[in-house]
Amino acid sequence: MHVRQLSGAPAAKVVTALPLRVRGLRVRAGGRELLRGIDVDFPAGQVTAVVGPTGCGKTTLLRALNRLHDDSTGLQVSGSVELAGADIYRDLGLREVRRRIGMLFQRPNPFPQSIQENVVIGARVHGLTGRSGARELAEARLREVGLWDAVKDRLGGNPYRLSGGQQQLLCLARALAVQPDVLLLDEPTSSLDPWATAQIEQLIRDLRERVTVVIVSHNLSQVARVADQVLFMVAGERVEVADVQAFFRHPSDPRTRRYVAGEAMTLPAMEERN
Amino acid sequence: MRRTAADLGFWAACWLALALVVGPAAWIVIGLVRKTWPVLSVDLLLKTTAQGGLQNALFGTLVLAAGVLILAAPIGIGAGVYMAEFASQRQASLFRFVSEVLAGIPSIVVGYAGYELLAIALGWGYSLLGGILALTALVVPYVVKSTEAALQQVPTSLREGAAALGLPRWLMLWKVLLPPALPGVLTGLVVALAISTGETAPLLYTANFSDANPPVQLLHHPVGYLTYVVYDYVQLPSARAHQLANAAATFTLFLLLLLIVLSRLLAARARRRTEQMGL
């Protein structure tokens, strides 16, 4: 198995990630409209940040992108979400959707199994590895997320003994082990310390060629650090989709301007990145 | 001043209430142990009730409990899992209603129904299996309820994590939901065992009683058990019979105590596990 190093960018970037295209996406709960017809393209190999005030439907949108609403009764989803041209609600089976579009949650949620089992369980069930390749796969994914040295002596151990940041990295390794085309991140660092946050952000940027990333974030400086494109939402509606530079420097909508101005500390982060 | 008097009165009332709970319980335990202590001998464990011991009754109680465990565990856990994970809301509420009705049937009625159905209609006569089935019918609702509750207490985040990874339902259940739910499920099972160990009524018409060891057969032979000795031997005129009744009550009590302690340990373990997951 090929193992990528964290540092040292590959010479030629070959984008193998796939684009996600959303049209007229609506989510209703009873009489309430949580999403009012969202149109947005998540380009292959880019990081798109979804931002907006609390309750604007960011998480609802994210969960519609891998059909997580299918499991909750009383929610109706309409519109289309196409992964490289195939509608995930009509053309693809649920389990295939879940394999190809992975998700990382606000708080780490390792399974009550050993550390190694956490990494390989998905890959095994989707037929991506046999019993014999499990250890190799675990090592490759754990190295990829930078957790290998911390856990190599306790692969059979309890994942809940790890720190919060390490648990989230383990969940990321678990999501990567099934070779997803898209990764959905729902405020993945909101419960983590700055060091773990930095590590996850670096990984998000490194992963871009292989997976298209959609990240919900409340933290505009994080958006400035990791995103290529920004989707700004208010009250279940798309306000604007813009390149990250344009979003912070020349927002076209007054609501975006106000939202960005409320978070002035994002600008230094932008300067640093350029 | 008045406030102090009111406080004092309140505390006195609380202490009295506590004493009224603890007092009778302690009185029962101490009284039983004191009466049983002098007659405690190896003979109690080695001789049958016909010979003046409790061996057959103790053995019968344990075999009945084992039978209940074997039947109630798969039925109750299976039904609980189905209700928590697979049933639609309407199915689940109907099922829950039926289960609550079953739990509310007086145990003597369960025994009588068992007699009509098993002993008479099916022609089993008084039997071990009849006793086991009657007890199982009585305790299965508890196992269902505790299994359902234990699964519902598993953090949603684990469920979502498994769903988002595309794990099939059975695997999610087996590898993600069941491990944290297991102590809760086992606690329910132990409580069910405790209830069945303390019952007499469902057994009177189904297992009846035998003062000797029956042949190793599920049907057609009555079986002895401790609670019958308590129920019946107090009414006999001899002092030895009264001693046996006391000893049987003490044995039953200690079996129950053992099961309750076990269920407490399991419950504590369940709490620790959920806290550890910090979800």
Side-chain angles (χ1 to χ4, degrees), chain B:
Chain B
M1 189 65 206
R2 193 196 293 156
R3 188 168 150 199
T4 320
D7 274 353
L8 211 63
F10 180 71
W11 278 113
C14 286
W15 275 106
L16 187 65
L18 187 67
L20 285 176
V21 174
V22 176
W27 184 74
I28 291 172
V29 174
I30 293 169
L32 274 176
V33 171
R34 269 182 55 183
K35 281 188 197 160
T36 307
W37 190 253
V39 297
L40 212 56
S41 70
V42 189
D43 275 1
L44 273 181
L45 296 177
L46 295 181
K47 291 185 169 170
T48 62
T49 33
Q51 302 159 329
L54 286 172
Q55 183 268 330
N56 61 314
L58 188 61
F59 186 64
T61 292
L62 294 178
V63 171
L64 283 166
V68 169
L69 191 65
I70 289 169
L71 285 185
I75 297 172
I77 295 174
V81 165
Y82 181 80
M83 279 169 72
E85 300 299 322
F86 299 102
S88 68
Q89 248 161 11
R90 275 185 59 171
Q91 272 178 324
S93 71
L94 180 74
F95 208 8
R96 206 168 292 131
F97 176 71
V98 172
S99 182
E100 272 161 21
V101 167
L102 187 62
I105 297 177
S107 57
I108 188 72
V109 178
V110 172
Y112 182 65
Y115 174 73
E116 288 283 353
L117 180 71
L118 307 174
I120 303 300
L122 293 179
W124 291 2
Y126 294 133
S127 66
L128 175 63
L129 187 60
I132 291 173
L133 286 180
L135 287 177
T136 301
L138 196 78
V139 301
V140 147
Y142 295 94
V143 183
V144 174
K145 185 94 201 143
S146 60
T147 302
E148 194 191 3
L151 282 170
Q152 280 166 350
Q153 274 167 17
V154 177
T156 318
S157 59
L158 280 185
R159 240 172 250 279
E160 288 184 335
L165 203 60
L167 300 192
R169 291 296 287 275
W170 66 269
L171 193 70
M172 181 198 298
L173 187 68
W174 189 247
K175 293 252 181 172
V176 181
L177 305 180
L178 226 40
L182 197 59
V185 173
L186 291 180
T187 305
L189 212 52
V190 172
V191 168
L193 270 186
I195 291 170
S196 78
T197 303
E199 278 291 351
T200 323
L203 296 172
L204 290 176
Y205 297 129
T206 51
N208 196 255
F209 183 72
S210 162
D211 60 7
N213 280 306
V216 186
Q217 270 192 22
L218 285 175
L219 306 179
H220 303 302
H221 292 278
V223 182
Y225 44 93
L226 289 171
T227 48
Y228 185 90
V229 179
V230 181
Y231 159 74
D232 194 48
Y233 280 45
V234 187
Q235 304 169 39
L236 297 183
S238 82
R240 183 61 191 163
H242 290 179
Q243 287 171 354
L244 274 188
N246 268 317
T250 309
F251 281 10
T252 308
L253 200 70
F254 275 93
L255 278 179
L256 290 183
L257 219 62
L258 213 65
L259 288 169
I260 290 168
V261 168
L262 188 60
S263 77
R264 281 303 178 97
L265 289 177
L266 286 168
R269 195 178 148 85
R271 245 193 331 275
R272 258 205 321 279
R273 274 208 196 190
T274 324
E275 277 164 16
Q276 203 179 31
M277 278 181 249
L279 299 161

Side-chain angles (χ1 to χ4, degrees), chain A residues 63 66 68 71 95 98 101 103 105 107-113 117 121-122 124-126 158 160 174, chain B residues 89 157-158 160-168 170-171 174-177 179-180 273 276-279:
Chain A
R63 294 165 70 96
N66 73 343
L68 217 49
D71 300 333
R95 289 192 44 214
R98 299 276 172 78
I101 305 178
M103 190 156 184
F105 296 83
R107 309 197 58 178
N109 55 356
F111 299 146
Q113 297 288 335
E117 181 69 3
I121 186 171
R124 203 168 51 226
V125 89
H126 290 292
N158 182 343
Y160 302 113
R174 177 176 81 189
Chain B
Q89 248 161 11
S157 59
L158 280 185
E160 288 184 335
L165 203 60
L167 300 192
W170 66 269
L171 193 70
W174 189 247
K175 293 252 181 172
V176 181
L177 305 180
R273 274 208 196 190
Q276 203 179 31
M277 278 181 249
L279 299 161

Side-chain angles (χ1 to χ4, degrees), chain A residues 30-51:
Chain A
R32 250 160 23 104
E33 280 215 301
L34 303 177
L35 284 189
R36 303 155 183 265
I38 299 285
D39 295 331
V40 59
D41 284 305
F42 300 105
Q46 289 201 15
V47 178
T48 302
V50 182
V51 300

Side-chain angles (χ1 to χ4, degrees), chain A residues 114-116 119 135 138-139 141-143 145-159 161-163 166-167 169-170 173:
Chain A
S114 71
I115 290 172
Q116 172 168 320
V119 181
R135 212 197 113 92
E139 175 169 351
R141 293 309 126 198
L142 288 167
R143 274 191 194 281
V145 300
L147 199 55
W148 175 249
D149 286 330
V151 302
K152 65 183 173 197
D153 297 324
R154 44 173 169 162
L155 287 177
N158 182 343
R161 299 245 168 82
L162 301 175
S163 73
Q166 288 175 325
Q167 289 189 26
L169 288 170
L170 178 63

